[in-house]
């Protein structure tokens, strides 16, 4: 999955037709970025610390009436990340899937000050948002891996080795083992992490896959003489 860096976000007024549910026309506030409606009716959404349905039913405004449109808002340093609602997805991936724009635009990462503006618009204090955890990074890598290369929840993420033809640097078996080790550590950790851009001291490790199109996948990066997870073009670093 690509990364969608959101630099500007604006609240916008809109009128939704709830006539079919007997409510008539209702004026709502929507959250818009780059011409995309991120949340279609802020007033009808419960903005919780866990997960939120940002796309409610367009005919009645009732949460969970329509399927999909769920995100898990997480702060990462001064950034805001909207993840898939992993805990709910494990129960029902059709009911709790993320919004359509995840597939079309990428994983939304709100740059400061857009991150603070999102929080203020929906009425949530930014510092009270749940911090992005190492466990969630492991689940994100599993969810975005091409060809379900890391398996499916609730099974722990482990690389399907027969589908990795070669890697860009290092020993293939060693790198496969290190990836499994890092994923296992991450999955068992609620430590807060931040996502950082690559620096001159970092070098991605490409995995060349025996899948249609023979894609290259980069879940690891060499950084300051150590290996770290790499997701959506960002290095994952625990804060402690």
């Amino acid at each position: 999955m690509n990364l969608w860096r959101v630099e500007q976000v604006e609240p916008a007024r809109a009128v939704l037709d709830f006539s079919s549910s007997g409510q008539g026309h209702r004026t709502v506030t929507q959250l818009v970025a780059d011409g995309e409606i991120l949340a279609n009716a802020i007033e009808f959404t419960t903005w919780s610390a866990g997960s939120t349905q940002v796309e409610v039913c367009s005919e009645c405004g009732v949460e969970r009436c329509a399927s999909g449109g769920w995100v898990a808002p997480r702060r990462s340093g001064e950034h805001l990340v909207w993840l898939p609602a992993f805990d709910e997805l494990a129960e029902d991936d059709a009911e709790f899937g993320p919004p359509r724009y995840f597939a079309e635009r990428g994983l939304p990462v709100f740059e400061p000050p857009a991150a603070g503006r999102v929080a203020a618009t929906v009425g949530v204090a930014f510092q009270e948002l749940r911090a992005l955890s190492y466990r969630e990074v492991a689940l994100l890598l599993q969810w975005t891996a091409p060809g379900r290369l890391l398996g499916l929840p609730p099974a722990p993420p482990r690389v399907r080795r027969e589908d990795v033809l070669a890697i860009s640097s290092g020993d293939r078996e060693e790198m496969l083992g290190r990836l499994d080790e890092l994923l296992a550590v991450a999955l068992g950790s609620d430590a807060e992490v931040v996502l950082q851009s690559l620096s001159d001291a970092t070098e991605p490790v490409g995995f060349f896959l025996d899948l249609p199109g023979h894609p290259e996948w980069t879940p690891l990066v060499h950084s300051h003489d150590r290996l770290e997870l790499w997701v959506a073009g960002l290095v994952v670093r625990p804060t402690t």
Side-chain angles (χ1 to χ4, degrees), residues 5 44-45 53 59 87 113 126 129 132 165 199 240:
R5 290 184 177 271
F44 289 82
T45 295
Q53 189 177 30
E59 296 184 357
D87 291 337
F126 181 75
L129 291 170
L132 178 66
L165 297 174
S199 69
T240 56

Side-chain angles (χ1 to χ4, degrees), residues 208-221:
F208 300 95
L209 308 179
D210 188 17
L211 296 173
H214 298 289
E216 180 184 4
W217 179 52
T218 51
L220 292 175
V221 64

Side-chain angles (χ1 to χ4, degrees), residues 3 9 78 88 91-92 94-95 102 106 177 184 189 195 204 216 218 236:
L3 193 70
V9 62
E78 295 182 349
E88 288 78 7
E91 301 174 11
D92 189 332
E95 174 72 18
F102 271 55
S189 173
L195 303 178
E216 180 184 4
T218 51
V236 179

Side-chain angles (χ1 to χ4, degrees), residues 9-10 24 32 37 45 76 82 92 111 117 142-143 153-154 160 167 169-170 191-192 200 203 217:
V9 62
E10 299 291 339
V32 181
I37 298 175
T45 295
S76 175
W82 278 8
D92 189 332
E111 305 279 355
R117 185 157 197 183
Q142 183 181 41
W143 189 73
R160 194 168 61 246
I167 61 171
S169 63
E192 181 178 343
D200 293 338
E203 176 190 357
W217 179 52

Side-chain angles (χ1 to χ4, degrees), residues 178 201 222-227:
R178 292 296 302 279
H222 287 288
S223 178
H224 302 284
D225 298 323
R226 59 184 289 181
L227 275 175

Side-chain angles (χ1 to χ4, degrees), residues 126-156:
F126 181 75
Q127 289 303 320
E128 292 180 1
L129 291 170
R130 188 179 299 177
L132 178 66
S133 73
Y134 216 11
R135 171 182 174 271
E136 289 169 326
V137 167
L139 294 174
L140 181 60
L141 275 170
Q142 183 181 41
W143 189 73
T144 58
R148 302 298 188 185
L149 190 69
L150 297 180
L152 290 171

Side-chain angles (χ1 to χ4, degrees), residues 9 15 23 46 60 66 74 78-79 99 105 118 130-131 144 159 164 171 177 181 193 201 213 215 217 230-231 233:
V9 62
V15 177
Q23 301 180 69
T46 303
C60 67
R74 298 291 184 265
E78 295 182 349
H79 293 77
R105 296 263 192 171
V118 171
R130 188 179 299 177
T144 58
V159 64
V164 180
D171 178 77
E181 290 173 5
V193 297
W217 179 52
W230 197 50
V231 59

